[in-house]
Amino acid sequence: MSSVVESRILDDFFDLMVNQPSPKEILEFKMSVDDERKITKLIELTHAESLSFQDQAEIDYYFRIERAIVLAKAKAYAKLQGDR
């Protein structure tokens, strides 16, 4: 599993979170272009059914990270809606 991609995505998100972002800032969080390219490549390998065990572990880990970020964004969205 590529710890570079994993730690970069988490580091970026945690850097945002420790600064007590507004709900709007959480909703605006995006992965870096390099991370998006790596994930796209892994998804393409999935479709081609040519993932190695390491690639599969990496994409599984990414989807767990993505789920956490989506949940944070959903809560941020709900907070914004409640503030109106």
Side-chain angles (χ1 to χ4, degrees):
M1 188 173 349
S2 171
S3 60
V4 173
V5 170
E6 293 164 12
S7 66
R8 192 170 43 226
I9 294 169
L10 284 176
D11 283 349
D12 290 350
F13 189 68
F14 289 145
D15 285 347
L16 171 70
M17 297 309 291
V18 299
N19 291 311
Q20 299 179 341
S22 69
K24 184 175 185 251
E25 290 170 317
I26 293 170
L27 288 170
E28 292 172 348
F29 175 80
K30 293 184 189 240
M31 281 186 266
S32 71
V33 172
D34 289 339
D35 292 336
E36 287 181 8
R37 283 187 192 128
K38 176 64 176 171
I39 302 306
T40 299
K41 179 183 172 193
L42 288 169
I43 291 170
E44 288 170 357
L45 289 172
T46 300
H47 293 301
E49 297 180 7
S50 58
L51 279 178
S52 68
F53 179 77
Q54 182 177 357
D55 290 339
Q56 184 63 54
E58 188 173 351
I59 201 164
D60 289 345
Y61 187 81
Y62 162 73
F63 283 127
R64 286 193 302 273
I65 293 170
E66 181 187 37
R67 183 170 188 267
I69 292 171
V70 167
L71 289 172
K73 286 184 174 194
K75 288 182 180 263
Y77 181 78
K79 172 98 172 117
L80 281 176
Q81 295 303 308
D83 288 347
R84 291 183 178 191

